[in-house]
Amino acid sequence: MPAIANRVAALATTVFSEINDLALEHNAINLGQGRPDFDAPPDIVAAEVAALQDGKHNQYAPGTGTLSMRQAVANHAGRFYNLDIDPKSGVVVTAGATEGIFSSLLGLVNQGDEVILIEPYFDSYVPNLHWIGAKPVYVPLHPPTWTLDPDELRAAFSPRTRAIILNTPQNPTGRVFTYDELKLIADLCIEYDVICIADDVYEHLTFGETRHIPMATMPGMFERTVTVSSLGKSYSVTGWKLGWVYGPPALVTGVLRAHQFVTFAAHHPAQAAAAYALSQPGTYYEDFLTMYTVKRDLMMAALDGAGLKATAPEGTYFVMADFSDVFDGDDVAFARYLTREIGVACIPPGVFYCPEHGEIGRHFARFAFCKGDDTLRAAGERLAQLKR
Ligand SMILES: Cc1ncc(COP(=O)(O)O)c(C=O)c1O
């Protein structure tokens, strides 16, 4: 009998699907998946509609992406981070950040290399590493502050280390790494000649005085960093799956060589809209943060009213809440209970850890607050039933 390949055989259907199905069955408010339940800005949608209808964007885009989008990515990196990116040889447009990360790993990491992951991590990283035959080396963030232990970080680096995947602002903890934290990582990357694959998809989602510092801007890091980002989070168009990778041409060449045989080219009309979106005025980002600050505050009030302990996230639209005061089981049992009995779905973060470190996330649940304000208020009312 034909069977599925070994490289996917161990990948069970994720707990995300189970929780989504349970949420539907029990009519739960779904704060599980990081998927906004409100629409994208109408002018950004209109830019895509115009591109669909102008007769110029319905066939393959250039493999690297349209020059106007690559120019917009370079301008955006210059405007926000003072980076000098070459739009012709330093940018590749990808099918979302997910493809950007996979193509970066394919193009920059060899079989047998070690790649450092900070836990809890975004779930596509580990299967990607297994497919390319690289070995993940895990360094956990420690709750409740979600900080690195410098000794554990240093111990993860060795002559076998080829790359580190760094996600800041960080899903699911909501941490935004400080200059000092980034400097620690950067110094080790330089000492061990390691590449950084910077997953910056939440680059515009930081609260209050917190600012996102791209690893590519740290001293000595530009030449060894590829930065991956996408339209999904910053412009509320997760369904478009349009992303990019930028960095020094010497590294971006590797990403491009992989990308040309992974997808060849990304969705063409959305690239016209991306050029428009990436050129939004500063007021767009101010309004975006004002909107998300209200949502974050509603989420924090809901958790507080439920007796769930959480530190307000510095960035992203996720928060990790400690349920140990109100529930005795593990994270999966809590997520099932919350969805079935309380009517609010969340994600058990055990899936973002290697088995050895799963215990760290055992008493936490991840909530996504990229939802309508009324939805968050309604979730708060339901969650209040939890309080003992
Ligand atoms: C940390 C992180 N990286 C990458 C992605 C994937 O981004 P995209 O939808 O652009 O592929 C996500 C989406 O949730 C994410 O949270």
Side-chain angles (χ1 to χ4, degrees), residues 96-98 101 122 125 167 171 199 201-202 230 233 238 241 318:
T98 310
I101 293 158
F122 182 61
Y125 301 163
N167 170 221
N171 169 13
D199 178 349
V201 294
Y202 298 100
S230 69
K233 323 292 174 182
T238 58
K241 290 300 274 189
F318 299 108

